[in-house]
Amino acid sequence: MATFGSACLILAFAVSLFGIGASLMGAQRGRADWIASGRRAVFALAGLATAAFVVLESMFLTDDFSNEVVVSHSSTTTPFFYKAAAAWSSQEGSLLLWLFLLSVWSSLVLVLVRRRLRDVTPYATAVLLGLGAFFAGLLVFLEHPFSTLPAAPSEGIGLSPLLRHPSMMIHPPMLYSGYTLFTIPFAFAIGALIVRRVDAEWIRSTRRFALAAWIFLGVGIILGARWSYAELGWGGYWAWDPVENASLMPWLVGTAFIHSVMIQEKRGMLKVWNVSLILGTGILCLLGTFLVRSGILQSIHAFGASTLGVPFITLIALLIFGSIALVVSRRDSLRSEHRLDSLWSREAIFLMNNIVLVGLCVVVWWGTFFPLISEAITGDPASVGPPWFDKYVVPLTILLVLLSGIAPLIAWRRSTLANARRNLLWPAVTAVVAFVALLLLGVGERPWALLMFVVGAFVLAAVAQEFWRGTVARRAMSGESPPRALLQLVRRNRRRYGGYIVHAGIAVLFIGVAASSAFQDAVDARLQVGQSAKVGEYTVTYQKPFADLVIARGDLERIDIGAVMRVEKDGKYVTTMRPSRGFYPSRAFVAFGPVGRFFEGEATSEVGLQAGRLRDVWVAMTPDINTLEPVIKEGNKVFTDAADELPPEMAGAALAQALRGITQRYVADPPPATFRMHVSPLVSWVWIGALLVLLGGITAAWPGGPDLATRKVKAGYAARVAQDLGRA
Amino acid sequence: MDPSRKRRIRLIVALTAAICLAGALMVTTFSAASPERIPSQLVASAEPGKTYKLGGKVVDGSIKREGDTMVFRVRDPKGRATVPVSYTGAVPDPFREGREVIVTVKKHGNTFVGERDSLVTKCPSKFQNEQKS
């Protein structure tokens, strides 16, 4: 199996190199058969990468401990569900996942464009295969997913318990799907630049890939945030951690791209800008993968330790210089077909949105890389924290959300004052009403949050107005019932109304972010049994401790020590929570002893969470197990002494008995425990907003719909009718 | 004024504005950033009252809880020097002895007092489970 997997990777590497050559030669000499060869190389790469990935997955699922990667990331006690995910928790597995996804999407795009873009495609194929060769090369020469151990151990180390959360199962594949999907328009942009065919055709052909990439990447980011909130025992969903920033940067520039390409499609403008954006997005995707996998930002010293440093930096540098050279040498072909008519037009608003998004990306980039920059300039590493990020990101985000509300209301080319008044009146009135109402509610003490709420209200009103007007107009024409008219309206203009749903979702999401970060009540308290703490309007009482031995497949998976917490508001019972901390056994028998190892391994929080429409109550608990130390030491001594005398089954039973005794002692005489308690308003709306964004994104990206030709005919007809009506 | 000249002026104004903004961003970052130090550097020179970002490994067996506060020692990632850190409040789940942490500290007397909520552990996506044994 391992040999087969390795063989697939070597073949994948070879096939990619061959395909690059075939595509480039075919394109240079106009040989269709060579170009076809290059295309088939992509399909072959997809087959080989899929086979290698399936082999690795099956090794994980069948606990094949002859494989080194399986041993260090999985174990027989790892639940089946998480064994599959363990494959990509490893460095090797995640690179293989990258290659697998890249090859699958590349094949898909080549099938979809087979009758179009005949001149661009060979070069795009070469770029995609170049990336394929890079990742296959890493897997063949530097990271070995199929390296075999001389003697297979009977048990593996297991998946880090922290990663055992459903969203962590899908978070990496989502991010990597986003990254790899963005390489498709990236590759076609390079192809279009090389052959100087820079009309909107490459954009149209890869539009759904860009949108899908944007959706996947967004889902990946949100799942990471959700995981952090529910699993890390810290209670936040965003920390400006370099790893989070790494995925946010391509998403920001990608967002700018999917907006500004509309201007090129409609008006033939901003060509330099569009190719630059997608080239930047593609490079940021690679940079993101590199940051996460190399750990360079945790410390510059990780660079030398990581085998990935030099190859990735070389590739990224090559792509940056290549991209700049391409854009500069093609600047004549990239001339705009039109000029910006007015600063009060949809193009202009889109342009501002683009500048804000790119500005955000620059801020995030600067903050993320500041430790390296600072070390390079002053010789002294220094870093910035969340307050620094917030200072720049908050105002820019508010501006961005505001623009997302204005843009749909403004006409292309030039908007008149009358038009603006007609379209902006009700959203503006809503915003003013919201402002006054919120001031009366006392929100004014947090001006940034207040501003975000007002802007959010404006956007929601603008989107609602667009849906309302569209539905009314449709009803007037077709006489359909309101729900049907609404549905048909969206179905017929999926791209437009999908976009509006996304805007509404973003507004909702940021209303949630603003409320939960500005108005959170947070208390850290050390409580004895029977004591209470007040968090905002809630009283939380530590009623009693509990302890469980969690058995999985006849083995002790972890020991949970937790607390039963009664939550009250104004003296009325609200809910009971059971936050706990799970202690996973350490494998260091010698260092911690046969009993101690059960308390000294990884520990994760199981938070108590009561989510609500208006607020979440969130409690995490850290038990103080230091008081158990004397008993654990005693246990270590007894079991070490008896190790040679007891038969294994009896030793196991006795150990279980002893652990039960220790945990019972904790429950009988509980020491005070540390609690972190949050009451955060509107957190749920962060997730609801994200779901709306997802829904809108899918609506806009869904394949099918009337094809371009019929739509053009229909639009021409509609324009004539409108003209006739105007004359009449 | 002819249109191309007007456009050029507009471009120059926009570029100047962008450069000024970027410059402001850069300059303010240097003053807002806290220097990153490893324990041996703090041992050598640490001014009381100044904020540092301390990075290093939590020394095995050094974690002691005193009521709400936790005291532990942080060691150079590849060295022997250690400094004592006292930290109040909840710590992230991955916090363990032997794991790399970053915490914002100020010097008070002989110990370094951690700022609330500033303690972070190395990112979980790089987690390997203990040493391969």
Side-chain angles (χ1 to χ4, degrees):
Chain A
M1 280 282 265
T3 323
F4 175 69
S6 303
C8 285
L9 289 176
I10 295 170
L11 278 176
F13 181 62
V15 125
S16 308
L17 290 183
F18 163 77
I20 298 170
S23 303
L24 291 180
M25 297 282 277
Q28 289 286 322
R29 310 207 173 148
R31 293 273 298 268
D33 48 344
W34 289 11
I35 292 175
S37 255
R39 188 168 57 225
R40 281 194 290 271
V42 174
F43 301 146
L45 174 65
L48 290 164
T50 311
F53 190 67
V54 168
V55 168
L56 187 66
E57 276 293 342
S58 67
M59 284 176 152
F60 268 92
L61 294 178
T62 58
D63 299 320
D64 184 346
F65 293 130
S66 65
N67 182 319
E68 204 180 327
V69 181
V70 178
V71 174
S72 46
H73 293 90
S74 185
S75 65
T76 51
T77 54
T78 303
F80 183 80
F81 183 58
Y82 291 112
K83 279 182 186 166
W88 51 73
S89 77
S90 67
Q91 179 99 308
E92 298 84 355
S94 64
L95 293 173
L96 181 54
L97 179 67
W98 224 102
L99 179 67
F100 161 65
L101 292 168
L102 173 77
S103 65
V104 170
W105 302 128
S106 305
S107 304
L108 181 64
V109 75
L110 289 186
V111 170
L112 290 177
V113 302
R114 66 193 175 281
R115 293 208 183 79
R116 276 172 289 160
L117 290 171
R118 284 178 193 276
D119 42 353
V120 177
T121 307
Y123 291 103
T125 309
V127 172
L128 292 169
L129 283 171
L131 292 172
F134 176 76
F135 280 92
L138 288 182
L139 289 165
V140 171
F141 299 112
L142 294 176
E143 306 280 342
H144 308 283
F146 298 108
S147 63
T148 323
L149 289 171
S154 59
E155 180 59 300
I157 291 172
L159 176 67
S160 170
L162 279 173
L163 300 177
R164 294 183 194 183
H165 186 266
S167 66
M168 261 299 125
M169 272 283 285
I170 29 183
H171 164 77
M174 286 288 151
L175 279 188
Y176 282 15
S177 288
Y179 288 160
T180 47
L181 279 163
F182 265 132
T183 61
I184 305 289
F186 170 78
F188 276 82
I190 292 181
L193 280 174
I194 290 176
V195 300
R196 296 175 185 271
R197 188 176 159 189
V198 287
D199 56 6
E201 188 52 36
W202 70 269
I203 293 175
R204 259 179 231 120
S205 299
T206 59
R207 184 182 80 86
R208 290 214 164 81
F209 285 88
L211 260 183
W214 180 85
I215 294 169
F216 277 115
L217 198 51
V219 169
I221 292 171
I222 286 288
L223 285 175
R226 176 73 205 179
W227 169 76
S228 163
Y229 184 65
E231 185 73 0
L232 281 191
W234 154 66
Y237 41 80
W238 194 263
W240 296 112
D241 184 272
V243 179
E244 293 166 338
N245 299 348
S247 55
L248 182 64
M249 286 188 280
W251 188 84
L252 288 170
V253 183
T255 310
F257 174 75
I258 56 179
H259 284 90
S260 72
V261 289
M262 285 185 231
I263 305 180
Q264 185 170 346
E265 281 181 79
K266 290 228 193 294
R267 311 263 296 122
M269 291 159 61
L270 297 183
K271 290 178 181 174
V272 176
W273 181 245
N274 285 331
V275 290
S276 307
L277 283 180
I278 194 61
L279 293 176
T281 307
I283 293 168
L284 284 170
C285 285
L286 286 168
L287 187 70
T289 312
F290 169 58
L291 285 187
V292 175
R293 298 307 340 172
S294 71
I296 179 175
L297 284 174
Q298 269 79 28
S299 121
I300 196 159
H301 308 291
F303 184 78
S306 159
T307 46
L308 299 178
V310 176
F312 259 99
I313 290 290
T314 314
L315 175 74
I316 289 169
L318 191 78
L319 288 176
I320 290 174
F321 288 113
S323 302
I324 293 172
L326 257 182
V327 173
V328 170
S329 67
R330 300 311 195 248
R331 62 187 184 283
D332 289 341
S333 323
L334 291 168
R335 286 260 155 76
S336 266
E337 292 157 32
H338 297 279
R339 296 273 162 211
L340 203 57
D341 293 307
S342 152
L343 283 178
W344 192 234
S345 64
R346 196 177 288 183
E347 295 95 302
I349 305 279
F350 270 36
L351 200 58
M352 277 188 248
N353 127 314
N354 266 241
I355 291 167
V356 173
L357 281 164
V358 173
L360 274 169
C361 181
V362 170
V363 169
V364 174
W365 183 87
W366 181 260
T368 308
F369 280 88
F370 190 73
L372 301 189
I373 298 166
S374 158
E375 192 171 0
I377 295 177
T378 62
D380 193 13
S383 57
V384 291
W388 181 88
F389 281 99
D390 291 344
K391 193 165 82 184
Y392 295 98
V393 169
V394 169
L396 283 173
T397 306
I398 292 175
L399 184 58
L400 185 69
V401 175
L402 176 67
L403 291 171
S404 82
I406 297 177
L409 306 178
I410 301 284
W412 291 100
R413 303 205 59 179
R414 191 183 291 273
S415 207
T416 61
L417 204 62
N419 165 300
R421 200 180 299 144
R422 190 179 96 89
N423 288 332
L424 289 173
L425 180 66
W426 284 110
V429 168
T430 313
V432 170
V433 171
F435 178 71
V436 174
L438 288 168
L439 266 190
L440 293 178
L441 283 170
V443 178
E445 55 188 293
R446 297 292 163 95
W448 287 117
L450 173 67
L451 207 56
M452 182 55 94
F453 294 148
V454 170
V455 166
F458 174 83
V459 175
L460 290 175
V463 170
Q465 173 182 280
E466 284 296 297
F467 272 95
W468 172 257
R469 285 187 178 164
T471 310
V472 168
R474 191 168 171 91
R475 279 198 72 195
M477 259 167 49
S478 63
E480 290 161 339
S481 65
R484 193 179 154 70
L486 180 67
L487 205 67
Q488 285 295 330
L489 178 77
V490 177
R491 273 191 57 195
R492 293 298 169 99
N493 306 279
R494 279 204 307 259
R495 199 170 163 184
R496 176 167 168 197
Y497 288 96
Y500 291 167
I501 297 172
V502 171
H503 286 189
I506 291 283
V508 169
L509 191 157
F510 279 112
I511 289 173
V513 170
S516 57
S517 45
F519 298 98
Q520 182 186 62
D521 289 302
V523 172
D524 283 342
R526 196 173 162 81
L527 301 179
Q528 296 269 13
V529 169
Q531 284 183 329
S532 318
K534 208 152 165 54
V535 195
E537 296 169 320
Y538 292 81
T539 308
V540 185
T541 311
Y542 180 13
Q543 283 190 305
K544 59 174 189 211
F546 69 86
D548 294 319
L549 303 187
V550 181
I551 311 288
R553 297 182 170 212
D555 236 341
L556 182 71
E557 191 192 26
R558 63 172 197 270
I559 299 170
D560 282 345
I561 297 180
V564 178
M565 311 293 289
R566 185 187 163 87
V567 182
E568 291 175 343
K569 186 184 178 184
D570 306 330
K572 276 193 215 115
Y573 170 79
V574 178
T575 185
T576 302
M577 290 187 189
R578 298 168 63 88
S580 67
R581 203 159 161 92
F583 294 87
Y584 288 76
S586 158
R587 290 169 54 84
F589 291 83
V590 183
F592 300 122
V595 177
R597 76 182 186 94
F598 287 95
F599 296 92
E600 297 290 346
E602 297 273 352
T604 68
S605 285
E606 205 55 54
V607 303
L609 173 63
Q610 212 232 3
R613 262 171 307 153
L614 292 180
R615 53 96 201 101
D616 279 11
V617 182
W618 182 102
V619 178
M621 180 240 195
T622 313
D624 183 356
I625 57 168
N626 276 348
T627 53
L628 294 177
E629 223 162 76
V631 211
I632 292 173
K633 273 195 182 138
E634 202 185 306
N636 277 342
K637 195 169 172 312
V638 170
F639 277 90
T640 317
D641 293 346
D644 303 328
E645 292 155 33
L646 281 173
E649 325 80 73
M650 277 181 68
L655 196 57
Q657 197 57 43
L659 290 173
R660 207 159 284 136
I662 292 171
T663 52
Q664 272 162 9
R665 180 176 294 206
Y666 177 91
V667 174
D669 181 21
T674 313
F675 294 91
R676 161 162 286 202
M677 298 173 256
H678 290 168
V679 174
S680 319
L682 307 186
V683 183
S684 296
W685 293 92
V686 174
W687 321 120
I688 295 171
L691 282 175
L692 264 180
V693 172
L694 175 66
L695 175 73
I698 292 174
T699 308
W702 199 259
D707 69 63
L708 204 65
T710 32
R711 214 185 297 163
K712 269 188 182 156
V713 172
K714 277 189 180 163
Y717 177 69
R720 273 203 307 285
V721 171
Q723 259 179 356
D724 292 346
L725 283 174
R727 262 187 244 121
Chain B
M1 200 166 7
D2 76 298
S4 75
R5 195 181 143 87
K6 196 170 154 192
R7 264 201 304 279
R8 192 172 304 153
I9 291 174
R10 216 187 272 166
L11 185 72
I12 290 169
V13 169
L15 277 181
T16 319
I19 290 168
C20 288
L21 283 175
L25 180 77
M26 289 169 194
V27 172
T28 56
T29 322
F30 280 99
S31 54
S34 17
E36 288 180 356
R37 291 286 183 269
I38 57 172
S40 56
Q41 292 168 321
L42 281 191
V43 171
S45 63
E47 297 161 34
K50 190 169 171 8
T51 308
Y52 296 99
K53 231 174 192 181
L54 169 66
K57 276 200 173 135
V58 180
V59 176
D60 286 343
S62 73
I63 300 180
K64 298 273 177 301
R65 283 172 198 279
E66 294 165 5
D68 233 0
T69 307
M70 198 166 53
V71 182
F72 54 91
R73 297 190 76 88
V74 177
R75 177 169 63 82
D76 277 12
K78 287 175 190 153
R80 289 231 170 133
T82 64
V83 289
V85 174
S86 85
Y87 187 81
T88 307
V91 293
D93 276 350
F95 182 82
R96 300 257 91 200
E97 289 174 353
R99 185 149 283 170
E100 276 193 40
V101 294
I102 300 169
V103 55
T104 309
V105 294
K106 270 184 190 162
K107 189 174 181 179
H108 283 279
N110 283 327
T111 50
F112 290 86
V113 179
E115 201 173 277
R116 197 169 258 261
D117 280 345
S118 73
L119 193 144
V120 290
T121 39
K122 244 178 104 168
C123 165
S125 52
K126 285 295 291 174
F127 280 172
Q128 310 272 333
N129 249 357
E130 301 173 26
Q131 61 287 353
K132 290 170 189 169
S133 49

